[in-house]
Amino acid sequence: MAELLVRRAAPADVERLAEVHVRCWQETYRGMLSDGFLASRGPADRLPLWRQLLESAEPAAVWVASDDGTVVGFGGTRRVPPGESWHDCPPPSSGDLELWGLYLLASHQGLGLGRRLLQAAVGDSAASLWVAADNARAIGFYRHFGFTPDGAADVIPDWENLREIRMVRPDQALLRKLGAAGGAL
């Protein structure tokens, strides 16, 4: 029986993460981006990013999902400093924690690994994320875990004008406390 685990990413994962990252893009964005665009992306394009994230003195907050020791997905977060953003939008109401990526190979979706990656990455914290506006499956997944669109939208010109929307969620532990207290704390 396969052992499905979620753990903190390590420098030894860099090459496999670059491969998984590109393969997930190819699976996720097929139909949203041209085949030519997707084919032009390769693991070598992602290696510098993964090396920077995991081989620095202060490694980034990244978790991996693995199947019998083979990385099959990842989730990463960052704290967005005030005034800094990759998007031309006001800061989210959820604060500075951003889920910058959550990807899982199609072969491993539906097994609970996405939920486990999300939990490892953000826990019950208030958070925001950006998702392709046409990625109904991902939007549904994030809605299931309390994220809702906040009205912010953007386009990534270098990605064939891929449209994105921002989703946010409040602190989940606080919501449970409010619910248990009848809405009053």
Side-chain angles (χ1 to χ4, degrees), residues 3 44 70 75 84 112 118 139 155 180-181:
E3 185 175 22
T70 300
E84 180 187 311
L118 182 64
I139 292 169
V155 171

Side-chain angles (χ1 to χ4, degrees), residues 6-80:
V6 171
R7 62 170 173 76
R8 205 58 197 253
D13 298 318
V14 165
E15 289 189 20
R16 178 65 183 165
L17 278 164
E19 294 169 13
V20 167
H21 201 164
V22 171
R23 191 162 145 211
C24 285
W25 278 352
Q26 292 167 341
E27 293 173 350
T28 300
Y29 299 114
R30 188 157 320 284
M32 289 178 250
L33 297 168
S34 72
D35 290 343
F37 179 88
L38 292 170
S40 73
R41 299 304 190 252
D45 300 328
R46 303 312 303 163
L47 270 175
L49 168 74
W50 286 108
R51 285 192 173 117
Q52 176 189 357
L53 290 173
L54 297 178
E55 294 176 353
S56 69
E58 293 184 34
V62 179
W63 291 261
V64 296
S66 66
D67 181 351
D68 280 338
T70 300
V71 172
V72 296
F74 67 89
T77 60
R78 70 181 191 124
R79 294 281 176 186
V80 181

Side-chain angles (χ1 to χ4, degrees), residues 32 131-142:
M32 289 178 250
V131 61
D134 294 331
N135 191 342
R137 183 175 181 156
I139 292 169
F141 172 83
Y142 293 126

Side-chain angles (χ1 to χ4, degrees), residues 65-158:
S66 66
D67 181 351
D68 280 338
T70 300
V71 172
V72 296
F74 67 89
T77 60
R78 70 181 191 124
R79 294 281 176 186
V80 181
E84 180 187 311
S85 178
W86 294 331
H87 302 274
D88 190 23
C89 298
S93 61
S94 56
D96 67 348
L97 182 62
E98 179 180 79
L99 180 69
W100 60 260
L102 186 103
Y103 288 97
L104 195 59
L105 294 175
S107 60
H108 287 78
Q109 293 176 8
L111 303 175
L113 286 171
R115 173 190 50 79
R116 290 168 59 190
L117 279 170
L118 182 64
Q119 181 63 31
V122 299
D124 286 339
S125 298
S128 67
L129 59 90
W130 289 87
V131 61
D134 294 331
N135 191 342
R137 183 175 181 156
I139 292 169
F141 172 83
Y142 293 126
R143 280 187 186 278
H144 181 77
F145 293 101
F147 288 87
T148 57
D150 73 349
D154 203 0
V155 171
I156 305 174
D158 293 345

